[in-house]
Amino acid sequence: MSRPKVHTVEAPPLQVDEWLNVCAPVDLAGLRGKVVLLYAFQMLCPACLAHGLPQAERVHRMFREDDVAVIGLHTVFEHHDVTGPAALRAFTQEYRWSFPIGIDRPAPDGNIPMTMRDYALGGTPSLVLLDRRGHIRLHHLGSIDDLALGSAIGRLLEEGAARGEGGAGPTANGPADAGCGPEACVAPAP
Amino acid sequence: MSRPKVHTVEAPPLQVDEWLNVCAPVDLAGLRGKVVLLYAFQMLCPACLAHGLPQAERVHRMFREDDVAVIGLHTVFEHHDVTGPAALRAFTQEYRWSFPIGIDRPAPDGNIPMTMRDYALGGTPSLVLLDRRGHIRLHHLGSIDDLALGSAIGRLLEEGAARGEGGAGPTANGPADAGCGPEACVAPAP
Amino acid sequence: MSRPKVHTVEAPPLQVDEWLNVCAPVDLAGLRGKVVLLYAFQMLCPACLAHGLPQAERVHRMFREDDVAVIGLHTVFEHHDVTGPAALRAFTQEYRWSFPIGIDRPAPDGNIPMTMRDYALGGTPSLVLLDRRGHIRLHHLGSIDDLALGSAIGRLLEEGAARGEGGAGPTANGPADAGCGPEACVAPAP
Amino acid sequence: MSRPKVHTVEAPPLQVDEWLNVCAPVDLAGLRGKVVLLYAFQMLCPACLAHGLPQAERVHRMFREDDVAVIGLHTVFEHHDVTGPAALRAFTQEYRWSFPIGIDRPAPDGNIPMTMRDYALGGTPSLVLLDRRGHIRLHHLGSIDDLALGSAIGRLLEEGAARGEGGAGPTANGPADAGCGPEACVAPAP
């Protein structure tokens, strides 16, 4: 059975001037070959603390870095005066988020920061999933449960693998592949 | 990058004489084309109640029936005298499990029931994941978290889809595909 | 300010022929001086497993035995055929409930067992709280959160203590009194 | 049985120049007759967000204002630059904490604010429980579970009631007393 063709959009570049938890800026073009989870959050957003950020951390710790990249994006559109870079650094340090976090570039002429505008995000927490080619495949505002998110990630991991794509690592598609949690591994297809 | 070849095993048939929640017996051969989750449990097993069974119900409700089949298997190897068919029926009714549940055929010569033996299950809860070809791809004793399980299911869904396989339904590989939770959908590959 | 007088009822005796987790039958008269939590449950009742029984276990482990007695009462009014003594024993063993559990005496002429009738319990889980004099002070069907229940227990503990009553232990009203959780102790009144 | 006498300390006055959620400053002397829960927290403290503050909100909503007063105290001893009054206001607005919150007065000569010093608090979250006479009866650093806290509050409520003390309300010791959760009420002592 052939699959219907659907037009998808390449993800816009991230507009970020400052990064936390990484030594060098993260750039989407350099993540080709990986599934990318972009998590837009605000440090004073209760749903981000309750669901989004802990989920981002879980995904970051569960999947191999060769296969899945998690990027936090601090998209400040409220309480700008008290959620600047220094506040975000203190927040990140206290909560021990370990994934790369970029500060969305403020807009010169308004409230909504630049990457948030380019991605047309409706608020926080927002989740954007990119496939291995850098195309947007999921765009979600609010909380999403682990089973649905895990399944979406798994599909995008396999899709790229089936086409022969993979991460930079040597065994991106070998037995020890994404989908290996601390308790389970999936044998690759024969 | 080509993928390493791994030998996988076709799942043994289920040895079940009595089914709950379905009108006709469920048979694995008839599920070809679907990803199958087999959940082995005992009604008095605390971990089954705490993790396995609620997870089975979540998977059953989240994915389309065309793509994913959840089957509960009551593999009684302890407390046989108080966990017979009548007890299981009362349990299933009270907890409102909605997926098909088969009673593993007792062994004539021992404690471990027949399907449990054939699958070499170590205890309960046990999870066995079959791909669309009916091969065993995951075999797990204990609890497994939703993110890992979701990812494994997603990979197996995509794998079959990439090869042109699919469920009996008309749009098994269309936009409204597995991976659609109540809040999110993944656009299919272009 | 004087307190209004309210008429309360002495708790009826428990009608139980078989006990689990204790060597000798438990009798309410022998528990005078203690606050008593009576938890009526059915082993196949989902709310009992989700809330009532774990809460009973928490109370049993938190408070001193000199001050608070927890008693489980298996009040079978549904699925009698599969929730008899042998089933209850298997259930109690698997879940490791450690408080005394009594099997409510079946009624000769109907569905509702004897103690459940005498206490006019509406279903399971039901919680009945007795003060140190053996009077019924709280009667609740359904789940009750820990903060409300803890407060009710604390009030009844203090009430008896203020009147000079106490458990059989030597320091029932001393510094190491009820209200000492694993992390906190309340200094007694000056 | 008479109770041992223990020396308790009157709570020091709160050193607060700015209050949130109230129109007039809160002063401990004016709370005599009520049990008081003082919750010291920092807005960037993960354990405060995970346990302490939600618990403070639960206590505030569960008990009658005549009987129990909950006071949040923002005791900033870390990240002073990003957790000032404006940040706290944004935080309180987003999380909808409804109890009075006072900003502990910064110390002129050091890191630890004034009330935190006077109470010798070891960190956040810290809980201090005062009886109806304004004496410190519980002093706890870290999380404390609801059952233990509820019991401590219940004991202090009853203690004051037994002595004839009560809140300003007309029925502070009547049937609709503290300990009434949304689902349960305790009949007062006969």
Side-chain angles (χ1 to χ4, degrees):
Chain A
M1 180 189 327
S2 63
R3 310 187 79 183
K5 285 210 156 279
V6 172
H7 173 70
T8 59
V9 181
E10 184 170 336
L14 305 174
Q15 297 199 51
V16 171
D17 299 313
E18 184 171 355
W19 286 93
L20 282 68
N21 291 338
V22 286
C23 306
V26 177
D27 139 73
L28 291 184
L31 297 176
R32 289 287 188 274
K34 303 188 189 188
V35 169
V36 177
L37 256 85
L38 204 57
Y39 263 99
F41 71 96
Q42 293 186 99
M43 60 176 276
L44 290 185
C45 151
C48 301
L49 259 295
H51 302 287
L53 288 166
Q55 188 177 56
E57 189 69 30
R58 279 198 299 282
V59 174
H60 177 67
R61 289 173 187 265
M62 172 164 292
F63 294 93
R64 292 181 6 155
E65 285 200 38
D66 288 341
D67 288 327
V68 178
V70 174
I71 300 174
L73 189 68
H74 197 220
T75 51
V76 174
F77 62 93
E78 305 170 291
H79 309 296
H80 297 78
D81 56 324
V82 296
T83 56
L88 180 66
R89 274 192 291 271
F91 171 78
T92 300
Q93 176 195 326
E94 286 299 326
Y95 279 85
R96 304 186 192 184
W97 309 121
S98 58
F99 46 89
I101 294 174
I103 300 177
D104 196 1
R105 186 178 296 143
D109 62 337
N111 200 33
I112 311 292
M114 303 302 293
T115 314
M116 190 175 182
R117 291 185 183 187
D118 289 350
Y119 279 77
L121 301 181
T124 55
S126 274
L127 169 68
V128 184
L129 248 189
L130 314 183
D131 63 20
R132 296 193 197 245
R133 296 178 167 183
H135 282 227
I136 296 176
R137 301 293 293 282
L138 173 64
H139 195 150
H140 182 73
L141 171 63
S143 69
I144 176 174
D145 68 20
D146 274 8
L147 205 47
L149 180 59
S151 171
I153 292 172
R155 294 197 73 133
L156 294 178
L157 282 170
E158 186 60 31
E159 180 186 272
R163 281 197 297 261
E165 299 161 7
T171 56
N173 296 310
D177 59 352
C180 268
E183 295 199 65
C185 280
V186 180
Chain B
M1 182 189 326
S2 64
R3 311 186 78 181
K5 284 209 153 282
V6 172
H7 173 69
T8 59
V9 181
E10 186 171 334
L14 304 175
Q15 296 198 52
V16 171
D17 298 316
E18 185 172 353
W19 286 93
L20 283 69
N21 291 339
V22 286
C23 305
V26 176
D27 139 71
L28 291 184
L31 296 176
R32 290 287 188 273
K34 302 187 190 189
V35 170
V36 178
L37 255 83
L38 204 56
Y39 263 99
F41 71 97
Q42 292 185 101
M43 60 176 275
L44 290 185
C45 151
C48 303
L49 259 294
H51 302 286
L53 289 166
Q55 188 177 56
E57 189 69 30
R58 279 199 299 283
V59 174
H60 177 67
R61 289 172 188 264
M62 172 164 293
F63 294 93
R64 291 176 12 150
E65 286 201 36
D66 288 342
D67 288 327
V68 178
V70 174
I71 300 174
L73 190 68
H74 198 221
T75 51
V76 173
F77 62 93
E78 305 170 290
H79 308 298
H80 298 77
D81 57 321
V82 296
T83 55
L88 179 66
R89 273 191 291 271
F91 172 77
T92 299
Q93 175 195 325
E94 286 299 327
Y95 279 86
R96 304 186 191 183
W97 309 122
S98 58
F99 47 88
I101 294 175
I103 299 177
D104 196 3
R105 187 178 296 143
D109 61 337
N111 200 33
I112 311 294
M114 304 301 294
T115 314
M116 190 176 182
R117 288 185 185 189
D118 289 350
Y119 279 77
L121 301 180
T124 55
S126 273
L127 170 68
V128 183
L129 248 189
L130 314 183
D131 64 22
R132 296 192 196 247
R133 296 177 169 182
H135 283 227
I136 296 175
R137 301 294 293 282
L138 174 63
H139 196 151
H140 182 73
L141 171 63
S143 70
I144 176 173
D145 67 20
D146 275 9
L147 206 47
L149 180 60
S151 171
I153 293 172
R155 293 198 73 133
L156 295 178
L157 282 170
E158 186 58 30
E159 180 186 272
R163 281 199 296 261
E165 301 161 5
T171 56
N173 295 311
D177 58 353
C180 269
E183 296 198 68
C185 281
V186 180
Chain C
M1 178 188 326
S2 65
R3 310 186 80 181
K5 283 204 156 285
V6 171
H7 173 70
T8 61
V9 181
E10 185 172 332
L14 304 175
Q15 298 198 49
V16 171
D17 298 316
E18 185 170 354
W19 286 92
L20 283 67
N21 292 338
V22 286
C23 306
V26 176
D27 139 72
L28 293 183
L31 296 176
R32 290 286 189 275
K34 303 187 190 190
V35 169
V36 178
L37 256 84
L38 204 57
Y39 263 100
F41 72 97
Q42 293 185 98
M43 62 176 274
L44 290 185
C45 151
C48 301
L49 260 293
H51 302 287
L53 288 165
Q55 188 177 55
E57 189 69 30
R58 279 198 299 282
V59 175
H60 178 67
R61 290 173 187 265
M62 173 164 293
F63 294 92
R64 290 177 12 151
E65 286 201 37
D66 287 341
D67 287 325
V68 178
V70 174
I71 300 174
L73 189 67
H74 198 221
T75 51
V76 174
F77 62 93
E78 303 170 292
H79 308 296
H80 298 76
D81 57 322
V82 295
T83 54
L88 180 66
R89 272 191 293 270
F91 172 77
T92 299
Q93 175 194 325
E94 288 298 327
Y95 279 85
R96 304 187 191 183
W97 309 120
S98 58
F99 46 90
I101 293 175
I103 300 178
D104 196 3
R105 185 178 297 142
D109 61 336
N111 200 34
I112 312 293
M114 303 301 294
T115 315
M116 190 175 181
R117 289 186 184 188
D118 289 351
Y119 278 77
L121 301 181
T124 56
S126 273
L127 170 68
V128 183
L129 247 188
L130 314 184
D131 64 23
R132 297 192 197 246
R133 295 178 169 182
H135 283 227
I136 296 176
R137 300 293 293 282
L138 173 64
H139 195 151
H140 182 74
L141 172 62
S143 69
I144 173 173
D145 68 21
D146 274 10
L147 205 47
L149 179 59
S151 172
I153 293 172
R155 292 198 72 133
L156 294 179
L157 283 170
E158 186 58 29
E159 182 186 90
R163 278 197 298 261
E165 300 160 5
T171 56
N173 295 313
D177 60 352
C180 268
E183 297 197 67
C185 280
V186 180
Chain D
M1 180 186 328
S2 64
R3 310 186 79 181
K5 286 207 154 283
V6 172
H7 173 68
T8 59
V9 181
E10 185 171 333
L14 304 175
Q15 298 199 49
V16 171
D17 298 315
E18 184 170 356
W19 286 93
L20 282 68
N21 292 338
V22 285
C23 306
V26 177
D27 139 72
L28 292 183
L31 297 175
R32 289 289 188 275
K34 303 187 190 189
V35 169
V36 177
L37 254 85
L38 204 57
Y39 262 100
F41 72 96
Q42 293 185 99
M43 62 177 273
L44 290 185
C45 151
C48 302
L49 259 293
H51 302 287
L53 288 165
Q55 189 177 55
E57 189 68 31
R58 280 200 298 283
V59 174
H60 178 66
R61 290 171 187 263
M62 173 165 293
F63 294 92
R64 290 178 9 154
E65 286 201 37
D66 287 340
D67 288 325
V68 178
V70 174
I71 300 174
L73 189 68
H74 198 221
T75 51
V76 173
F77 62 93
E78 304 170 290
H79 308 297
H80 298 77
D81 56 321
V82 296
T83 55
L88 180 66
R89 273 191 291 271
F91 172 78
T92 299
Q93 175 195 326
E94 287 297 328
Y95 280 85
R96 304 187 191 184
W97 309 119
S98 57
F99 46 89
I101 294 175
I103 299 178
D104 196 2
R105 185 179 297 142
D109 61 337
N111 202 34
I112 312 291
M114 303 302 292
T115 314
M116 190 176 183
R117 289 185 185 189
D118 289 350
Y119 278 76
L121 301 180
T124 56
S126 273
L127 170 68
V128 184
L129 247 189
L130 314 184
D131 63 23
R132 297 192 197 246
R133 294 177 169 183
H135 282 227
I136 297 177
R137 301 293 293 282
L138 174 63
H139 195 151
H140 182 74
L141 172 63
S143 69
I144 174 172
D145 68 19
D146 274 9
L147 206 46
L149 179 59
S151 171
I153 293 172
R155 293 198 72 134
L156 295 178
L157 282 170
E158 185 60 28
E159 179 185 271
R163 280 197 298 260
E165 299 160 7
T171 56
N173 295 313
D177 58 355
C180 270
E183 297 197 68
C185 280
V186 181

